[in-house]
Amino acid sequence: MKRIGVTGHRSIPREVLGHVKDGLRAVLGGHEGPLEAFSSLAEGADQLFADIALECGADLTVVIPSGDYEDAFEDAEALARYRRLKRQATQEVRMDFARSTDEAYYAAGTYIADSCDRLVAVWDGLPARGHGGTGEIVAYARALGKPVTVIWREGVTRD
């Protein structure tokens, strides 16, 4: 079984959203055989990836950073998408953190990088804004020798 994980920005500018969706569909739909997709289901890239992975027939493994993870969702629609996707998952992995902290996010991101054959990064190429951010997880995966597919449109920066 092929295993693909995701890391990415929570905020994806409108001018790159279609490109990101097309890129995710190309990665997730362009393989033979069974697929397992790993996501923490955060708003933005993680939820887009999970939705498209399910459309492509993948088994979804959700990696929950902390016991209070749902409290980190400020947007009611994003929380509803999180809950819907979590119900559709075939497997749930929960990190051993009570609270949503940068360390919990880092643990979830590195778990995904450790578990996948390929990491997809919805990433503008800039350094992480905090511990456990996209840039840091990409660097971690690359240090492991994992292939990383970056999906973004050059010249577009996130908010």
Side-chain angles (χ1 to χ4, degrees):
M1 177 177 284
K2 179 94 173 170
R3 293 174 174 85
I4 301 176
V6 69
T7 187
H9 301 312
R10 291 178 190 229
S11 174
I12 301 172
R14 284 194 191 280
E15 60 266 32
V16 76
L17 186 59
H19 176 76
V20 167
K21 288 179 180 179
D22 290 346
L24 290 172
R25 282 190 179 94
V27 169
L28 292 164
H31 65 86
E32 298 282 327
L35 176 66
E36 183 177 9
F38 289 81
S39 173
S40 289
L41 302 182
E43 184 173 2
D46 286 16
Q47 290 185 357
L48 282 173
F49 173 88
D51 262 329
I52 293 169
L54 289 167
E55 285 173 16
C56 293
D59 290 338
L60 178 62
T61 295
V62 297
V63 181
I64 309 300
S66 64
D68 72 343
Y69 190 49
E70 287 193 14
D71 296 341
F73 287 86
E74 296 174 4
D75 180 83
E77 288 178 33
L79 177 59
R81 280 190 305 273
Y82 165 82
R83 289 176 174 159
R84 174 183 54 80
L85 290 163
K86 189 175 163 200
R87 283 191 304 272
Q88 293 178 277
T90 54
Q91 183 176 342
E92 181 179 317
V93 176
R94 195 172 284 274
M95 299 291 97
D96 194 23
F97 291 87
R99 304 243 178 268
S100 290
T101 62
D102 287 352
E103 192 61 38
Y105 297 141
Y106 179 78
T110 57
Y111 180 92
I112 288 171
D114 288 337
S115 301
C116 69
D117 303 313
R118 171 176 298 281
L119 185 70
V120 175
V122 179
W123 179 46
D124 60 8
L126 297 175
R129 292 183 176 167
H131 186 48
T134 303
E136 188 174 17
I137 301 304
V138 167
Y140 177 85
R142 287 178 171 160
L144 293 175
K146 300 278 175 133
V148 176
T149 300
V150 176
I151 301 173
W152 200 258
R153 178 167 287 144
E154 194 170 324
V156 178
T157 55
R158 64 189 159 122
D159 302 330

